[in-house]
Amino acid sequence: MVLEKGMITNLQRLSLHDGHGIRTVIFLKGCNMRCLWCHNPETFSQKAQIERIEQKCISCGACVEVCGSEALSMHNGKVHYNVNLCKHNGDCTKVCYSGAMHQVGEIYSSEALYKAIEKDIPFFNSTGGGVTFSGGEPLLQHQFLLETIQYFKSKDLNVVVESNFNVSWNIISKFLPYVDHWLVDLKFINAEKHKKWTFTDNQKVLSNIKQLDNEKVSYELRTPLIPTANNIKEELLAINDFVHQLSNCKQFKLNPYHKLGEQKYKNLGLEYNLAHINEMSHSEFQYWSNLIKK
Amino acid sequence: MDMKEYYLQKIENLKRAKAFQTKEKIRKEGLLDEDDYGRIAVPDEGWEIIPNHEDGSFYGIKGWTDNFCDLMDNHPTYIDENDAFAGRWIYFMSKMRPNKWNPSYPFTHLIANQEKYDIIHGIGDDAHFAPDFELGLQLGWGGLLKKIETSAAINQGEEQEVFYQAHKRAIVSIQGWIKRHIDELALMIQKVEDPLSRENLLKMRETNRAILHHPPKTLRQACQWIIWFHLASRTYNRDGAGGQIDTLLQPYFENDIKNGIIDKEEAIYYLSCFLINDPIYWQLGGPDGNGGDVSSEISFLILEAADKINTSLNITVRVHDHMNQELFDRSLEYLIKHKNAWPRFSGDKGLISGFMKNGYSEELARKRIAVGCNWMSLPGLEYTMNDLVKVNMAKVFEVAFEEVMTSSEIKSTAELWGKFTAHLAKAVTTAADGIKHHLKYQKYNEPELILNLLSYGPLEKGRDVSDGGAMYYNLSIDGAGIAIVADSFAAIEQRIEEEKRLSWEDLQSHLNSNFEDENGERIRTLLQNSERYGQGDAKGDKWASLIAEHFSALVKNESDAEQNQCFIPGLFSWANTVGLGKKVKATPNGRKGGEPINHGANPTPGFVVDGGSLALASAIAKVQPGYGNTAPMQWELDPSLAKQEHAEIIGAIIKTHFELGGTLINVNIMDKEQVLTAHENPDLYPDLVVRITGFTAYFAMLSKEFRQLVVDRILEN
Ligand code: SF4
Ligand code: SF4
C-alpha cells in the first residue's frame, strides 16, 4: 500500500471552538469553495505558496538576491513582493532568517502529523478533547485524511472533522465509522446567494446534511453570520427551518463574521473583497442568535 | 442593622484605607520592585537603628535584641475601628542596616568565583523558612516564656544564657507593644459614639487582653495572635512565610460556631481583616494522609474573604488526586473573576515524590507546604535558605563559551558542554560553600530571634535555627537562566553544526559586537528562530532537560549527611531576571547583551506561535529539578481564555501540568490594553495587582524598568 501524504497549512494548538475540550486543529490545504468572507485564504490553493510577513522583515536584502524571477525588489530600504511574478519555489524562505518570507503548506505523513500533535495528548485526555481536521476543505484530500484518521483512531484519539460538505456522499460515507463528531457549515439555503458568496452550488451540501442526519451520527451545524450576505431575516429563518426538520443535529449556532483574516490576504498578495464590511456589534449578533433559537 | 451589609461596609473602608496607605508609601518611600507586604509608610522622624559596629550596622544576638526591643518599645500603635484586629507592620528593620554581613567573618575565599559566575550567595540573608504557628497558638506568649525558662534550666552555659535572655526580652517587648494597643483601645472606646464600632473596639480589647499571656481560644483571638507574631517577625527580618491556614484556624472556627460565639458572616469579616493585614503565603487544602483532603468549611470562608478584599494576596491551593473539587472550582472562579493573580496552585504529586527522593518519609513530605514565594517548607522543622541562593547559569555559559573560543582546538557542542558542566560544578560548589559559611557564622551576624520561637529545636537545644537548632537542613540552591543556556546550545547545534550556516568564529564576532556588526541583525534572527526550549521535542527542549538534570545532580552532590546538610535544587530567578541579565553579554540564542534572562523555568518569550499555555505546561513539567523544590510555571494567561466558561479547561491545564510532574503555578491574567495604560500612567490603576513571580505586587509600586519587563512578558504571550 502506498502511504498517502497530505498538504497542511498549519496546526493550531489549544483550540476551544472546534469541538469539545482542548483540541489541536489541523488545517488541510485546498478548498473547493471561495467564500468571500473566508479568514483562511492560505487554504484556498492546494499547493504550497509564499506568504510575506512584513513586520518580521529586517530589510537585510538576502531574499532579493536569490529571487530569480524578480518577484522581490528593494525600494528605499523596503522589500516589495509581487505575487504575480512569484514561482512559489521557496528559494527566498531559505535565506530569510527572520521568517518574513514564509512558505505556507507543508507535506506531512500520517505518522509525522501524529508526532506533531502527540505532545498535547495529556491535555486532550484531561478535557475530553482531541484533534479537529479543518481547512480549506479537508475532504478534498480524502485518501490521506482517511488513512490519517484511521491511524489516529488506532491511537485512541477523539476525531472531529469540519467540512463544507461540498463533496460527494460516497466520500463522506467512508469516514462515518471513524469520525467522532462532525462540524458542518450551513451557509445559505438560497441557492443563488450561495453561488454569489461562495462561487459554488449548495444542493450537494444540503442533501449531504440530510443524509448525515439519517445516519444518526454526532454532528452540529454552524452558520457564519455575514453582514449583507445572510443577516437577513428570511434567509436565517429558512436556515432555521431547515435545521428544525433534522432529527439528530446536536447543536446549531451562528458564528459572527470577523476580519482577523484580512492581514493574511495582504501577506499572500491577495485582495480582500470584504474590506468595506464591518464586524457586527455584539447586540446585533445576539439579536440574530435569538431569532434562530425560536 | 443587617450585619452582612455592615461587615461589607467595614471591609470596603479597610480596602480604601489600604489603597491610601499604598499611595502614601510610594510617595514617601519611592518605588519598590517587591511584594507590597501590607506594610504602611514609616512616620516622619521615625525610629532609627542603634549600631553596634563601626560600619554603622548592628550584628550578633545582642545587637539584634537591643534593636528589636527598642523598636518594639517605640513602635507606633495602629488601630482602625473598621478592623477586627489591631496592629500593622511599619519598619523593615533588617533593611535599615547599611551592611548585612558581619565583617568579622569574611568570605574573601569565595568572592572571585561568586563574581565570575554571578552567584547570588545569600550569605547573611534571613528567614525564608517557615515557623509552625500551631506551636504559638498552643503555647501563647506566656507558654513560650515558660518554655524558655524550662529550656534555660536544662541548657546552662554563658552563651546559652545570652541566647535565652535575648528571646525572653524579645517576647516581653512584643507583649509591651500589644499592651500599648490595649491601653490605646481603652481611650478609643471612650471616644467612639457609634454603638457597633464601640462593640467592635471592646471585642478587640478583650481579644488582646485574652492573648497577652495566654494561648488564644477563639477564632478572633487566634487570628490576632498570628497577626502579632507575624508583624513582629516581619519587622524583625521580613519573614513572610505562612502555613496551612485552614487547618490552623479550623478548630477555633468550629468551636466558636458550636458555642454560638460567631456566625459565618462574622467569620468572613474576621478572615477578611486577617488577609488584608499582610499578604502572607498561606496554603489551602492538601492531602490528609487518609485519601482525603484537609480542607473544611473554613477553607471556603477564607476564599470568600479573599473574594471580598481582593487586594494583593498570596494564597496557594494545593492540587492533588483526592482534592476537594469544589474548593478547586471555587478558586478558579475567583481567579477568573478578579484577574488579580490569586490564588496560585501547587502540585502535590511532584512535590511529594520529589521530596521523598531526599530520603524522607511520605508523611513528612506531606507536611512540606507552599508558604513562600517559590518555595515549600516544613513549618517549624527545617532551615532552608529558600529562594536566597541563585546560580546565574547564563553567566556560567558565557565563561564556558569564552574558554572554548580561546583554548579548545576542536569546537563543538560536546566540547562546550564539557566546559559548561565543569564550570557549573564550580559555581554550584561555590554557592554551597557560601551556604556553609553562612551556617557557620550567621548566629554571630543575625540570629533568628523571632522564628526560633516557633521552630522545634532552637529553644530546646539553646541554639539558633541556623546553627544546628533546626531538625532538618534542606538547603536550597536555584539555577537561573535555563532557557538562555538551552537555546544557546540549541542554536549552535542547529545553525553551526548541522546547517553550517555560520562558523564558531562568526558567532563569536557577532556576540562580541552585540550583533551590531555587519549582518549582525540577520544572524541574530537566525539564532533566535532556532529550535527553542518550550516547543516540545525541539533541540532546545533536549538541552533544557540535560541542563536541569545535570544541575540537580550537582546540587544534590553537595549534600553531607554527617553535617545534616541536604542540598535541594530548584529553578528560579525571582525578580532577579533584570539584574542577572545585566551581567551577561550577548548570547548565542540571539539575546542581546544586558537583556534580562528568562524568568524562572519559563522559556524565553515568543517561544511558540500559538498554544503557548500547553507548550509552557509541558515544557516546565519536563525540567523539574525533582527533589521537592520548585521550577514554577509562570503563566501569563490570555484574557480571551480566562473566562468562566473556560474554567474547566484552565483547571484541566493546571491539573495536567501537575500530573506531568509540575510543582507550582503562578497565574497572571492581564488585559493588554489595561497594562499598557497602567504602564504609562500607573496612578490610574492603583488597585492593579500583578504576580511578578511567586509574589504579587501593586503594579503602581514597581519601578518603570520593572513595569516594562512585566509589560513585555504579557505582550509576548
Ligand atoms: S518563492 Fe517567489 S519570491 Fe521567493 S524566491 Fe521564489 S519566486 Fe522569488
Ligand atoms: S530575507 Fe527576509 S528579512 Fe531579509 S529582506 Fe528579505 S524578507 Fe526581509
Side-chain angles (χ1 to χ4, degrees):
Chain A
M1 187 175 88
V2 187
L3 288 175
E4 288 289 332
K5 295 258 166 88
M7 178 62 98
I8 308 293
T9 59
N10 181 27
L11 306 179
Q12 191 187 322
R13 300 166 75 181
L14 187 53
S15 173
L16 301 177
H17 305 287
D18 302 285
H20 189 265
I22 290 178
R23 312 195 75 85
T24 296
V25 184
I26 300 171
F27 292 91
L28 280 78
K29 206 161 173 353
C31 192
N32 53 4
M33 285 190 182
R34 282 294 178 274
C35 307
L36 285 167
W37 61 83
C38 180
H39 56 264
N40 290 329
E42 73 281 12
T43 60
F44 287 166
S45 157
Q46 206 160 11
K47 291 192 197 129
Q49 65 196 112
I50 294 297
E51 174 189 38
R52 179 174 158 72
I53 306 162
E54 181 79 49
Q55 304 92 292
K56 288 193 180 176
C57 177
I58 56 165
S59 299
C60 67
C63 57
V64 182
E65 261 170 51
V66 298
C67 178
S69 44
E70 297 184 349
L72 292 168
S73 53
M74 183 79 94
H75 301 292
N76 298 331
K78 273 190 119 182
V79 173
H80 289 260
Y81 170 56
N82 184 343
V83 68
N84 298 321
L85 297 175
C86 179
K87 298 202 171 68
H88 298 282
N89 55 14
D91 288 354
C92 52
T93 62
K94 295 188 186 94
V95 297
C96 178
Y97 293 167
S98 73
M101 299 306 294
H102 172 237
Q103 181 166 311
V104 199
E106 226 180 296
I107 304 279
Y108 275 87
S109 65
S110 304
E111 281 89 350
L113 212 43
Y114 181 76
K115 255 198 111 22
I117 59 104
E118 198 181 10
K119 48 185 169 279
D120 287 342
I121 289 178
F123 301 97
F124 302 159
N125 291 345
S126 61
T127 57
V131 173
T132 299
F133 291 93
S134 179
E137 175 42 54
L139 293 174
L140 292 185
Q141 300 185 49
H142 55 91
Q143 279 157 320
F144 165 71
L145 185 62
L146 189 60
E147 227 170 64
T148 304
I149 290 180
Q150 285 168 341
Y151 182 61
F152 280 23
K153 287 311 291 177
S154 76
K155 302 273 184 188
D156 252 354
L157 282 177
N158 178 287
V159 170
V160 170
V161 173
E162 180 174 22
S163 169
N164 64 22
F165 262 27
N166 188 27
V167 290
S168 87
W169 176 254
N170 266 346
I171 291 176
I172 297 170
S173 63
K174 286 190 199 141
F175 285 83
L176 295 179
Y178 309 106
V179 174
D180 295 291
H181 186 69
W182 294 87
L183 302 170
V184 183
D185 267 14
L186 172 60
K187 304 173 208 262
F188 295 91
I189 299 295
N190 181 311
E192 243 172 73
K193 286 201 164 188
H194 196 276
K195 182 112 195 172
K196 180 183 160 197
W197 285 88
T198 72
F199 300 95
T200 45
D201 291 326
N202 65 352
Q203 280 95 339
K204 215 191 286 171
V205 177
L206 299 179
S207 88
N208 281 337
I209 292 175
K210 286 181 191 156
Q211 282 263 31
L212 188 72
D213 192 64
N214 287 336
E215 296 291 339
K216 299 192 171 67
V217 295
S218 171
Y219 79 98
E220 66 184 82
L221 296 172
R222 319 202 290 183
T223 295
L225 188 65
I226 313 300
T228 75
N230 59 3
N231 65 340
I232 293 159
K233 203 167 182 179
E234 63 175 346
E235 182 57 35
L236 274 184
L237 289 176
I239 291 175
N240 204 32
D241 282 349
F242 178 87
V243 175
H244 279 95
Q245 280 160 29
L246 301 164
S247 325
N248 296 308
C249 177
K250 278 205 168 149
Q251 203 192 0
F252 166 53
K253 67 171 185 191
L254 301 178
N255 281 336
Y257 164 73
H258 63 75
K259 302 180 87 141
L260 297 176
E262 193 170 355
Q263 184 62 40
K264 291 197 209 167
Y265 282 83
K266 282 195 192 126
N267 294 349
L268 294 164
L270 301 175
E271 200 172 326
Y272 183 55
N273 288 310
L274 296 195
H276 59 287
I277 290 183
N278 292 327
E279 291 178 5
M280 72 178 60
S281 67
H282 183 69
S283 56
E284 188 187 345
F285 180 73
Q286 273 311 316
Y287 167 79
W288 296 113
S289 296
N290 291 339
L291 189 78
I292 59 148
K293 276 190 194 130
K294 293 202 176 113
Chain B
M1 174 154 200
D2 176 4
M3 287 309 280
K4 193 173 173 181
E5 271 305 305
Y6 176 74
Y7 291 137
L8 273 182
Q9 191 51 52
K10 297 242 143 192
I11 292 168
E12 275 314 305
N13 294 345
L14 286 175
K15 283 168 74 172
R16 219 168 300 136
K18 167 139 184 172
F20 175 77
Q21 285 157 355
T22 306
K23 250 193 176 157
E24 260 307 278
K25 202 160 54 171
I26 297 173
R27 189 181 66 79
K28 279 192 163 174
E29 301 175 11
L31 302 167
L32 181 75
D33 292 339
E34 283 188 34
D35 202 317
D36 116 79
Y37 302 121
R39 200 173 60 80
I40 59 173
V42 174
D44 299 331
E45 292 175 36
W47 179 82
E48 304 269 359
I49 62 164
I50 313 161
N52 70 354
H53 192 277
E54 61 196 20
D55 69 2
S57 195
F58 56 90
Y59 304 105
I61 194 154
K62 188 161 178 316
W64 279 84
T65 315
D66 287 347
N67 271 276
F68 179 70
C69 294
D70 190 65
L71 173 51
M72 283 288 106
D73 293 347
N74 292 288
H75 199 290
T77 51
Y78 182 95
I79 299 163
D80 180 339
E81 62 178 59
N82 293 298
D83 207 324
F85 306 110
R88 275 293 188 286
W89 177 37
I90 298 178
Y91 289 94
F92 228 131
M93 191 176 96
S94 54
K95 263 202 174 179
M96 294 170 81
R97 299 165 298 164
N99 187 21
K100 76 171 179 193
W101 184 249
N102 190 336
S104 314
Y105 308 97
F107 46 94
T108 10
H109 60 296
L110 298 174
I111 291 177
N113 274 349
Q114 286 171 345
E115 283 174 1
K116 182 173 177 185
Y117 301 122
D118 191 25
I119 290 166
I120 299 177
H121 55 65
I123 297 174
D125 280 341
D126 41 33
H128 291 83
F129 60 97
D132 187 0
F133 283 100
E134 203 172 322
L135 193 56
L137 293 174
Q138 273 169 12
L139 297 179
W141 299 113
L144 285 167
L145 280 172
K146 199 166 227 160
K147 184 172 172 186
I148 291 172
E149 218 172 274
T150 356
S151 306
I154 300 168
N155 302 308
Q156 288 178 356
E158 213 176 300
E159 212 174 306
Q160 266 86 358
E161 170 141 8
V162 175
F163 178 86
Y164 287 117
Q165 267 305 321
H167 288 84
K168 191 175 158 191
R169 279 179 61 202
I171 293 182
V172 172
S173 71
I174 295 170
Q175 285 177 308
W177 181 39
I178 301 172
K179 177 79 174 46
R180 288 205 308 284
H181 284 82
I182 296 174
D183 297 342
E184 170 96 16
L185 277 161
L187 296 175
M188 284 177 78
I189 289 163
Q190 282 173 10
K191 285 186 209 146
V192 73
E193 279 167 18
D194 170 50
L196 281 175
S197 292
R198 191 183 147 82
E199 196 189 316
N200 180 42
L201 292 177
L202 278 166
K203 274 193 191 166
M204 203 189 289
R205 184 174 61 167
E206 190 187 305
T207 301
N208 279 288
R209 274 182 179 160
I211 61 168
L212 186 58
H213 296 286
H214 300 292
K217 290 202 175 66
T218 65
L219 179 67
R220 189 163 180 167
Q221 290 172 14
C223 290
Q224 178 75 75
W225 198 93
I226 292 175
I227 285 175
W228 285 128
F229 181 88
H230 208 276
L231 292 177
S233 192
R234 282 287 210 192
T235 306
Y236 186 80
N237 63 6
R238 203 197 68 162
D239 155 45
Q244 184 73 40
I245 191 59
D246 41 8
T247 54
L248 277 173
L249 298 179
Q250 182 186 2
Y252 301 95
F253 166 71
E254 287 175 357
N255 213 33
D256 283 5
I257 292 282
K258 197 178 80 198
N259 296 330
I261 296 177
I262 55 169
D263 59 15
K264 264 181 229 163
E265 295 309 330
E266 198 170 348
I268 293 173
Y269 165 60
Y270 291 166
L271 294 168
S272 303
C273 298
F274 178 76
L275 290 175
I276 206 167
N277 192 281
D278 189 338
I280 300 168
Y281 291 87
W282 299 115
Q283 178 170 292
L284 277 188
D288 65 3
N290 302 314
D293 192 282
V294 297
S295 60
S296 62
E297 187 177 5
I298 195 166
S299 315
F300 289 86
L301 299 187
I302 291 167
L303 277 182
E304 265 186 62
D307 172 47
K308 296 216 159 41
I309 66 157
N310 185 34
T311 60
S312 152
L313 285 161
N314 289 311
I315 293 172
T316 309
V317 174
R318 183 78 156 207
V319 178
H320 62 107
D321 287 348
H322 306 287
M323 78 178 300
N324 185 332
Q325 184 62 37
E326 213 185 317
L327 188 75
F328 188 53
D329 292 344
R330 191 72 65 80
S331 62
L332 290 171
E333 183 192 324
Y334 292 143
L335 172 75
I336 297 167
K337 174 180 168 190
H338 294 298
K339 302 185 172 44
N340 227 5
W342 68 269
R344 48 184 210 150
F345 303 89
S346 64
D348 198 65
K349 188 177 157 189
L351 288 168
I352 290 208
S353 63
F355 190 62
M356 287 171 67
K357 273 185 7 207
N358 298 302
Y360 295 121
S361 70
E362 186 181 340
E363 197 191 348
L364 190 70
R366 227 182 294 121
K367 291 190 183 143
R368 207 163 191 260
I369 56 174
V371 286
C373 179
N374 69 317
W375 48 272
M376 310 292 138
S377 190
L378 294 165
L381 294 174
E382 61 176 4
Y383 185 77
T384 58
M385 296 194 77
N386 280 322
D387 196 17
L388 295 176
V389 182
K390 311 258 176 283
V391 174
N392 186 350
M393 295 199 287
K395 187 69 189 178
V396 175
F397 178 88
E398 183 183 286
V399 173
F401 182 81
E402 276 170 11
E403 196 169 294
V404 167
M405 295 314 292
T406 49
S407 65
S408 295
E409 256 172 50
I410 300 163
K411 298 174 178 57
S412 65
T413 42
E415 173 75 8
L416 181 58
W417 176 252
K419 300 264 186 221
F420 172 73
T421 47
H423 284 289
L424 190 62
K426 281 189 203 155
V428 167
T429 300
T430 307
D433 286 348
I435 292 179
K436 289 172 191 169
H437 186 84
H438 168 96
L439 292 176
K440 210 162 166 186
Y441 301 111
Q442 174 73 343
K443 64 172 165 173
Y444 304 123
N445 179 61
E446 178 185 339
E448 294 286 355
L449 208 52
I450 307 301
L451 285 169
N452 278 340
L453 298 173
L454 298 195
S455 296
Y456 299 92
L459 294 186
E460 288 86 340
K461 297 182 211 165
R463 298 178 74 165
D464 190 71
V465 68
S466 67
D467 177 43
M471 200 97 87
Y472 304 104
Y473 286 79
N474 291 315
L475 306 158
S476 162
I477 300 180
D478 292 324
I482 185 170
I484 303 291
V485 181
D487 289 353
S488 292
F489 269 109
I492 295 174
E493 182 185 6
Q494 185 180 347
R495 304 310 192 186
I496 297 182
E497 294 190 323
E498 288 183 5
E499 297 169 359
K500 305 200 175 357
R501 298 215 203 194
L502 76 164
S503 68
W504 285 82
E505 287 69 25
D506 291 339
L507 172 64
Q508 186 187 26
S509 81
H510 290 306
L511 294 179
N512 286 345
S513 76
N514 199 23
F515 299 108
E516 276 153 23
D517 54 351
E518 200 188 330
N519 222 13
E521 189 53 21
R522 181 160 180 260
I523 295 301
R524 196 171 85 84
T525 59
L526 175 74
L527 295 167
Q528 241 178 359
N529 289 328
S530 308
E531 289 185 23
R532 281 153 76 175
Y533 161 55
Q535 291 168 348
D537 328 312
K539 289 189 167 58
D541 291 288
K542 183 194 76 183
W543 285 106
S545 295
L546 260 180
I547 295 161
E549 239 170 71
H550 204 82
F551 176 75
S552 281
L554 288 173
V555 172
K556 281 312 300 169
N557 202 29
E558 296 294 334
S559 300
D560 182 342
E562 257 175 45
Q563 298 289 322
N564 189 17
Q565 290 172 352
C566 170
F567 280 84
I568 304 188
L571 292 175
F572 194 53
S573 51
W574 194 67
N576 296 314
T577 49
V578 177
L580 295 173
K582 278 189 180 149
K583 298 279 178 58
V584 184
K585 292 183 232 165
T587 39
N589 65 327
R591 171 191 150 279
K592 285 198 152 194
E595 283 181 2
I597 57 162
N598 68 286
H599 189 102
N602 276 45
T604 48
F607 64 105
V608 282
V609 193
D610 64 20
S613 296
L614 305 188
L616 188 70
S618 301
I620 293 178
K622 285 205 186 96
V623 298
Q624 288 298 319
Y627 289 88
N629 280 5
T630 67
M633 163 170 159
Q634 176 71 31
W635 192 10
E636 307 300 334
L637 184 52
D638 188 332
S640 69
L641 180 61
K643 296 183 175 151
Q644 295 298 353
E645 75 232 45
H646 299 321
E648 214 183 309
I649 299 281
I650 295 170
I653 295 176
I654 292 171
K655 282 190 176 176
T656 308
H657 176 63
F658 292 146
E659 200 45 49
L660 295 171
T663 41
L664 183 67
I665 299 181
N666 297 317
V667 197
N668 246 337
I669 307 169
M670 305 215 78
D671 183 62
K672 206 164 109 180
E673 300 307 316
Q674 189 188 29
V675 166
L676 284 175
T677 341
H679 185 33
E680 280 313 307
N681 194 349
D683 291 345
L684 287 180
Y685 293 94
D687 297 338
L688 184 63
V689 172
V690 285
R691 189 162 289 282
I692 304 297
T693 71
F695 69 83
T696 51
Y698 284 105
F699 193 68
M701 252 181 88
L702 301 172
S703 68
K704 185 147 193 219
E705 186 185 22
F706 214 83
R707 289 206 306 271
Q708 185 65 50
L709 188 79
V710 174
V711 167
D712 288 348
R713 222 165 67 191
I714 287 156
L715 295 192
E716 281 277 11
N717 286 287

